[in-house]
Amino acid sequence: MDDYHALASSISPSAVSRYLRAQGWVLIDGREGLLEEWAAPENVGSESESEIHLLPVNQEYRDFRRRFVEFLAAVAAYYQIDAHELSHRLRLGAADVLLFRVCHDDGVDDAVGIDEANDVLSAMHRMIAMSARYTASPNKAFTGRVPPRAKEYLAQYVQLGHTRPGSFVFPFISGPRDFHDARTLFARRVMENLAVGLDRVRGLPASPNVALDEFGPLVVALADGLPKLARSPAFSSIEFSFVWAAGREPSSEVPASPVALQLPEIREIAVATVRVKQYLQDRKASDYRLAASRGPVATPAPRVPALPEFPSVVDVEISGEIIALNIDDRRDSDWGSRYSIVIRADVQNLIVDVEMPVGEAEFAVATQARNLGEEVTAVGTLVRTMGGFTMRGQLTSSGQQQSR
């Protein structure tokens, strides 16, 4: 019982109470400042008499420590875990945890090179930062000033936990320990976006189209940082898994199983990332604002041919009325133009609003078309974003094509 005595010395009854409530335990009775009586979820409402566990709250009682230790042992017995695992669950009950596992060919599990550890920490910090920036401003660059919400999250609500057994497992703890406030929701979204982005990264070599949906900028940014993790000569694979905060299930988009990547897969992803970035740059899809590569691809590869066309998102033609004309100097750094228009069009039998940056001459054409009530036609790259759709290309109105 020594481990339970140590746990009782380092955690408060109120933290245990919050955890039980989040896990679905039922508070049978409570006397404020004195004690609480809890029943395990499966016992409530059953035909057999429910076993009641007493959680002491008043630490001034002479037998407080003994009763608290007995309660902790009863909770651990219910989950069939030991005191150490119960400690993890109680401390992190209100936080999400990213477990990053590094596996080695040599099977050594009691030491790790300091250079490798530094690579892991810096690469994972960058990945979490990319997800935070994307979550705060999906349509903004990954360079320049960090959005305030992302900066606050990284500075105050991301921590590195103690390593756990099993090769080298680095726990990254995300979010404040409070329940259901705006900061908690933002931290959860960062982790969800990171999970989705990592899951889609492994499909990049087979299906480059994953870089062209709303998660595209994040997928490419995450893929860009993977080669640094594979530099260790003993490296064989990495695994990302997520433990979600108690009582708050992740969204349906989040993968249910860990994301595991072998060394050959990471090399394939690195090559595919170079191709995708070059493709997007050739198409002038500057909305992506791809994070610059921090080094050469792990395994040099011969020059690869240009990516094939992406059906359904490249060279799409849309027609419709102009519902908005925008002039905003702040967009000049994002799009290279202060002018943009919004076209309401039918895209695959769905009426959507497509925002399109244009030059000054095109803006004048669009203004005239709107004043006359004419429809316009645009041809180019259609990209789905968090806010809707954007397009890069050429605008045609009244049979007159204007090219930028």
Side-chain angles (χ1 to χ4, degrees):
M1 298 292 288
D2 289 345
D3 291 337
Y4 290 101
H5 278 279
L7 177 57
S9 301
S10 61
I11 199 162
S12 67
S14 60
V16 178
S17 179
R18 288 196 301 271
Y19 176 78
L20 295 178
R21 193 181 304 276
Q23 289 293 319
W25 288 57
V26 178
L27 181 62
I28 302 299
D29 189 19
R31 303 175 192 177
E32 188 173 354
L34 297 177
L35 57 87
E36 295 176 352
E37 295 179 348
W38 291 90
E42 65 183 25
N43 292 329
V44 178
S46 63
E47 295 181 0
S48 60
E49 185 176 349
S50 299
E51 183 178 2
I52 305 301
H53 301 282
L54 187 148
L55 172 63
V57 175
N58 191 333
Q59 301 186 33
E60 300 300 322
Y61 279 178
R62 184 174 56 184
D63 62 347
F64 168 80
R65 177 58 58 84
R66 176 180 63 83
R67 288 182 176 274
F68 193 27
V69 168
E70 291 175 350
F71 185 88
L72 293 174
V75 174
Y78 171 79
Y79 289 111
Q80 298 181 345
I81 58 177
D82 60 16
H84 292 290
E85 179 59 27
L86 179 61
S87 175
H88 282 303
R89 297 190 184 188
L90 292 174
R91 294 178 188 281
L92 305 178
D96 299 320
V97 182
L98 163 61
L99 297 175
F100 180 79
R101 181 174 180 233
V102 184
C103 303
H104 298 88
D105 290 324
D106 55 17
V108 175
D109 61 359
D110 60 352
V112 64
I114 192 168
D115 287 340
E116 181 181 359
N118 182 66
D119 284 348
V120 169
L121 293 177
S122 61
M124 289 309 302
H125 180 274
R126 179 173 180 268
M127 287 186 176
I128 295 173
M130 292 298 100
S131 184
R133 296 180 73 137
Y134 173 81
T135 304
S137 301
N139 297 318
K140 293 294 184 180
F142 284 142
T143 56
R145 183 175 299 178
V146 179
R149 293 188 70 187
K151 186 175 182 179
E152 179 192 29
Y153 165 75
L154 293 169
Q156 300 185 30
Y157 304 121
V158 180
Q159 298 174 307
L160 181 64
H162 296 292
T163 56
R164 298 188 185 180
S167 293
F168 274 91
V169 182
F170 296 80
F172 295 87
I173 303 165
S174 168
R177 307 302 171 84
D178 310 301
F179 280 85
H180 303 301
D181 66 357
R183 295 166 300 176
T184 302
L185 296 177
F186 179 80
R188 161 56 63 87
R189 191 57 183 158
V190 172
M191 286 292 108
E192 288 184 340
N193 285 338
L194 182 57
V196 173
L198 289 170
D199 185 52
R200 298 190 181 191
V201 160
R202 57 183 171 183
L204 199 58
S207 179
N209 288 355
V210 300
L212 294 180
D213 67 6
E214 62 181 288
F215 284 99
L218 181 59
V219 169
V220 176
L222 294 176
D224 212 25
L226 281 176
K228 187 174 184 179
L229 296 172
R231 298 195 304 191
S232 170
F235 170 87
S236 63
S237 65
I238 55 176
E239 181 181 282
F240 305 88
S241 58
F242 294 81
V243 180
W244 303 106
R248 289 184 285 123
E249 294 297 321
S251 71
S252 58
E253 292 180 292
V254 173
S257 57
V259 177
L261 297 172
Q262 305 294 320
L263 181 57
E265 291 180 277
I266 293 178
R267 290 171 175 163
E268 291 179 2
I269 290 170
V271 173
T273 303
V274 173
R275 297 176 63 190
V276 169
K277 290 173 65 176
Q278 185 61 52
Y279 178 82
L280 294 173
Q281 290 169 3
D282 291 344
R283 303 294 298 190
K284 298 182 179 179
S286 58
D287 294 337
Y288 279 85
R289 294 291 185 178
L290 305 178
S293 175
R294 295 177 178 264
V297 177
T299 302
R303 184 183 179 95
V304 295
L307 282 173
E309 293 291 300
F310 291 81
S312 80
V313 291
V314 170
D315 291 339
V316 171
E317 180 177 289
I318 64 171
S319 296
E321 63 175 327
I322 296 177
I323 63 170
L325 300 164
N326 303 317
I327 303 177
D328 189 343
D329 290 333
R330 295 172 298 180
R331 303 309 298 268
D332 191 49
S333 59
D334 294 336
W335 282 348
S337 174
R338 59 198 290 253
Y339 301 101
S340 67
I341 62 175
V342 179
I343 305 172
R344 179 158 294 168
D346 185 340
V347 178
Q348 297 181 351
N349 298 320
L350 179 67
I351 302 300
V352 297
D353 295 338
V354 180
E355 186 173 12
M356 179 178 179
V358 295
E360 186 173 0
E362 283 183 309
F363 189 78
V365 172
T367 302
Q368 182 179 10
R370 187 182 185 189
N371 292 337
L372 297 175
E374 296 177 347
E375 287 193 348
V376 297
T377 298
V379 179
T381 304
L382 184 66
V383 177
R384 185 182 183 92
T385 68
M386 292 290 286
F389 291 86
T390 61
M391 171 174 274
R392 283 285 193 169
Q394 298 174 323
L395 177 67
T396 299
S397 177
S398 301
Q400 299 298 320
Q401 184 172 338
Q402 302 292 332
S403 175
R404 283 183 295 161

